Every structure is written in C-alpha cells, then in structure tokens.
Amino acid sequence: MKLPSPRGSLSDTLIGALGGASPLALAEPDDDEDLQLSLFICYELSYRSWDGVDDAWEWNLDMLRLRAGLEERFAAGLGRPEPADPETVPAALAAIVAADDGPSLSGYLRGRATHEQFREFVTHRSVYHLREADPHSWAIPRLGGRVKAALLEIQIDEYGGGAVHKMHQELFKQTMSWFGLDLTYGAHVGVVPAPALAVNNLMSYFGLHRARRGALLGHLAAYEMTSSLPNRAYANGLRRLGGDASATAFYDEHVEADAVHEQIAAHDLCGAFARDEPELAGQVLWGAKCALEIDNAWARSVLDAWASGGSSLRV
Ligand SMILES: [Fe+2]
Ligand SMILES: [Fe+2]
C-alpha cells in the first residue's frame, strides 16, 4: 500500500524517513490526527507494510522507540485494567456489552443513511475489514490448549475455512465493489480521520504486545458479542438502498456466524483464558471496554459529521 500524506510534523518526519529521505528523529505529534496516523504507519510495518519501504524498518530501534512513545500517549486515554474474578468473566463481558450505550450508527444506516453516507461508512470500515481477523491472529502463538482451539474455531470462520472467496476480508470486497470503491488493501487509509485509525491502532496495540494478550481476547469478544444485530441492520440498510445479495453477503454472513462466535468468545475463549491465567482476567474485561469505547468514539464522529451536513471523510 502507498504511504499516505502526512497530517502533521511527526507523520511528515516518519514518512520521509521510511522513504529514505531523512533520518528518523524523535518528535512529538502535533495533534490526534498526527498521532494516530503515525502510529498506524508504524504498526503497518508488521502487517503487509508500505510500498517501497525496506522490511528492516519493522525492527528499526528508532522506529520502535518512536512507536513506544506514541503507544504511551494512546494508552493514557484508555484507563487501566482492574482485578476481576476469573469465574465471572463471561457474565462480566455480557454486562459490559449490555451496558454499552454508544450511538446507534447501525440504526442510522438501516433506516436513514443516503447512498453516499453508506459508501463513506464502507470506506471507513475497509481499513479493518480488508485485514479482518489479522490483528486477533497475533494471539494464536501466545496461547495453548483449549483457549487456542477456541480462538482458532473463530478465526477459521473469519478466514473462510481456507476458501479464498469465503474469507471475510474477501467478502467485504463485494460490498466495496457495489459502491465502486478501490479494493486495494489500505487504499482508503489516507481519507479516514483519526477516530477510524484509532479503531485499528487499538487492535494492533493489543495484538503486537504479548503482555496484552488478555485485552486482545476481550477485544475480540466485545466485537463478536456486538456484531450480529448491527450486521443485520447494515444488510437491511444496504438492501433499502438497492444492494443485491453480493453487496450484502458480508453483513448477512456475520448475522449467522457471530451469533455462534459470541458464545465461543465469551465462554470457550475468554472464560477459559481467565481461568488459565487468572491474573489477566481483569485485562480481558478492560480490552472489551476499550473496544467499545474506541468504536463508539468513531461512530459518534461519523454521525456528528453527517448531522452537520458534511462528509465524515477527510477531503
Ligand atoms: Fe468476520
Ligand atoms: Fe466473527
């Protein structure tokens, strides 16, 4: 994927350094856009990375030092895990999800969104869905036994059981195609604002640190437990706008799949993990809370942009 345009002095320095134009100097981000983009650029070095950027940058010490500073700033807004009784983790996850009172982006998309607004929504989501499941796969080698098996049961579905056309990453391209969007991995990173990048950065932050494996599983559980109903709403909203079966396939698939994943994630994955590693029980719940909080902040930013009659994307 192509390196995006800078959004401040730090991302400017970082992009210049990765392109080989200048050495990487430690600097402070100008604002949240500069921070989230810089962090996203650093994290992407561990995924499929950027066109023309040397693979060695993934483990470059200056980059890692810069990334650690950005992570510290990002994490400062995420609160802290609190100790929890491992036996109550599945019930506590259900309570966190039930207490979630975030803005209903799915309700808006189902009943009111225009074609253009839905297209913007798909553009935002493409940053995640084109690599859906990848951030949570970082947990696989860090787990064993029944917990690993539970995670794999979910991930195997996410990756279409090994059939490329069933991979959720690929299914989403059908939705994007219907809207005439560029299907290239990462094509829309440059136009999504900070809150959408933060959604992705959170997963990478949890995923790339073994120490946060509990939070990563809690994050996945929160996603699986809050997915089925919104996806039904997305599918119905898209049908309202004339979307055909191919366009809605990604959302339809998640209505069924995540009703099952929800149970596996809460009990077989997070419940068992908390019993195996009781000192991380609270971290699981924290990860779930962070997932909902960061997603809600993004949803609010999108709805606010639309309410003021504008675009939710950067122009
Ligand atoms: Fe999925
Ligand atoms: Fe799922």
Side-chain angles (χ1 to χ4, degrees), residues 7 26 31 46 51 71-72 79 83 90 96-97 111 113 137 156 187 194 223 237 239 262 279 285-286 292 296 312:
R7 297 185 191 177
L26 279 181
D31 55 19
S46 296
D51 295 350
E71 286 177 325
E72 214 170 283
I96 289 167
V97 166
S137 290
I156 285 166
Y223 267 25
R239 276 187 279 272
E262 171 175 354
E279 69 287 355
L285 304 183
W286 174 66
L292 299 181
N296 287 340
S312 63

Side-chain angles (χ1 to χ4, degrees), residues 90-102:
L93 284 170
I96 289 167
V97 166
D100 178 38
D101 57 357

